[in-house]
Amino acid sequence: MTLLSVRELRGPEAMDLLTGKWRELYADDRSATPFESADWLTAWARQLPCTTTPLILTAKSPTGRIVAALPLARHEDRTRSQISPLSGPHAPCLRPIGPHANDPAVARAFAFHLLLAAERENADIALTAVDADSPLGHALHLISADISWTRTAPARTAILLPVRYDSLTPSVQREHARRRRTWTRLAASHTITYTRTRHSQDLAAATTAWTDLRRRHDPLQPEPGAGDWRAVLEKVGAATACIATLHVDSTVIAAQLCLTRGPHCYTLPLATDPARRHLAPGHALLRHLVDDLAADGFHTLHLDTTSWQHAGRGQYGAARPGPRTTRTPDHYAAA
């Protein structure tokens, strides 16, 4: 196989790629998620502290075309430097992007470059949430003794839309019916409202509600401030980001942030009111959300870990899909 050349872009060079050619790489990668989009990565790159700079690895074909890129960040301290995912820990999975992002040769080239960086530059490599069954995961596994990386599940839990409730097991159908009765009784004395943002102004207001609810849900776990998320979601925009909320009267009891690409929707951590835990608000919100997305023409809802826990295993026919199909070109001569 033709050898690939790997180049590091740091600081301004990395930002130039993110604000320029990155959109083309994203468009050419059908398996890319919104977490690899230029707007998402640029928004987090602009919030890096002064001791951290964006670092992007690019893989080029012999003709000089960028066929894949890996978004990272480099943190410098007095003794060592650390290389980690650019938008970590917010992005659920680290993966390359580009027309040949899933090629094993690309993954091996990136992994070998990181190994050299660890040895030559005394850098700690800390890659979080790498798909263990992806080409990058396989390549890192071969050198795991020298690079620190965190394995994640092979793929997110995917709910196929629309949900066919009548095809679920009888026990699951009874559980759905029981929960619907609970909310029907509640609606007799309270106003139950479900909404999903569709415009920038609504998104900004819902962002505050989502971040506030997350702090109440788990006050001991540090979270990015509301201002950080507001800046990110303002950059990403209402065409890609949305927040679904469930209200009892005027109180938000559950909020779900989602990013979309085409007919696919991806969740970020669900936030629920701990005082309403007995109502299973996350499950109730998800029920509204899957029906809402299906009505809008979405094909799949990909759940992060917290949303999957609230959904319940098998409650929506959700199952973890198998490993992604790896596209391996015969050569890069045409690239």
Side-chain angles (χ1 to χ4, degrees):
M1 174 168 299
T2 304
L3 294 177
L4 298 168
S5 62
V6 175
R7 184 189 173 200
E8 280 189 14
L9 303 180
R10 301 187 187 186
E13 276 191 312
M15 292 300 295
D16 287 344
L17 180 63
L18 285 175
T19 56
K21 191 176 177 59
W22 198 270
R23 295 185 188 278
E24 179 182 333
L25 295 173
Y26 185 65
D28 287 343
D29 187 349
R30 293 185 178 182
S31 61
T33 73
F35 303 104
E36 287 93 49
S37 70
D39 290 334
W40 169 267
L41 292 170
T42 301
W44 286 113
R46 288 175 176 168
Q47 297 186 47
L48 293 175
C50 61
T51 55
T52 305
T53 57
L55 182 154
I56 295 176
L57 301 185
T58 61
K60 289 187 176 182
S61 71
T63 61
R65 179 192 174 194
I66 297 177
V67 297
L70 187 65
L72 303 168
R74 187 184 188 95
H75 173 74
E76 305 285 353
D77 61 23
R78 294 180 179 179
T79 57
R80 294 180 67 87
S81 59
Q82 183 183 80
I83 296 175
S84 59
L86 174 55
S87 61
H90 314 290
C93 188
L94 173 67
R95 66 178 297 276
I97 184 175
H100 298 285
N102 291 330
D103 189 280
V106 169
R108 289 193 296 268
F110 284 151
F112 183 67
H113 186 90
L114 290 171
L115 177 61
L116 291 180
E119 294 177 347
R120 279 194 317 238
E121 304 175 30
N122 198 30
D124 293 326
I125 313 296
L127 305 183
T128 55
V130 177
D131 184 340
D133 284 346
S134 68
L136 182 61
H138 291 161
L140 290 173
H141 177 70
L142 298 176
I143 53 176
S144 58
D146 302 286
I147 291 182
S148 173
W149 64 287
T150 305
R151 297 162 178 79
T152 190
R156 294 181 136 219
T157 300
I159 296 177
L160 300 181
L161 304 176
V163 174
R164 306 296 182 185
Y165 294 100
D166 57 357
S167 68
L168 301 176
T169 65
S171 62
V172 170
Q173 291 186 51
R174 288 193 295 270
E175 187 65 17
H176 276 286
R178 181 187 67 79
R179 287 186 169 125
R180 283 197 298 271
R181 288 194 297 270
T182 298
W183 285 88
T184 299
R185 289 193 296 267
L186 187 65
S189 54
H190 297 273
T191 301
I192 312 299
T193 308
Y194 163 84
T195 61
R196 179 164 63 91
T197 60
R198 300 174 187 273
H199 306 287
S200 298
Q201 186 174 359
D202 296 336
L203 179 61
T207 300
T208 300
W210 178 72
T211 52
D212 288 347
L213 198 55
R214 289 204 71 191
R215 281 192 288 268
R216 277 189 284 150
H217 176 73
D218 195 352
L220 298 180
Q221 180 178 349
E223 290 288 343
D228 295 334
W229 279 104
R230 188 176 294 111
V232 169
L233 297 181
E234 182 179 349
K235 175 66 176 175
V236 171
T240 297
C242 64
I243 297 178
T245 55
L246 187 65
H247 294 71
V248 173
D249 298 327
S250 59
T251 303
V252 180
I253 66 167
Q256 177 70 76
L257 172 60
C258 302
L259 300 182
T260 64
R261 187 189 189 196
H264 307 289
C265 183
Y266 302 79
T267 67
L268 280 151
L270 172 71
T272 59
D273 185 350
R276 306 294 183 113
R277 188 178 293 113
H278 62 287
L279 295 175
H283 188 286
L285 175 59
L286 187 61
R287 171 88 185 212
H288 285 287
L289 179 61
V290 295
D291 293 343
D292 183 18
L293 292 173
D296 268 4
F298 284 87
H299 297 171
T300 54
L301 175 63
H302 300 263
L303 302 179
D304 67 286
T305 302
T306 59
S307 302
W308 182 54
Q309 290 170 347
H310 281 271
R313 295 169 176 82
Q315 289 287 308
Y316 296 86
R320 292 194 182 278
R324 299 185 185 91
T325 301
T326 300
R327 189 174 90 181
T328 307
D330 294 331
H331 55 78
Y332 293 94

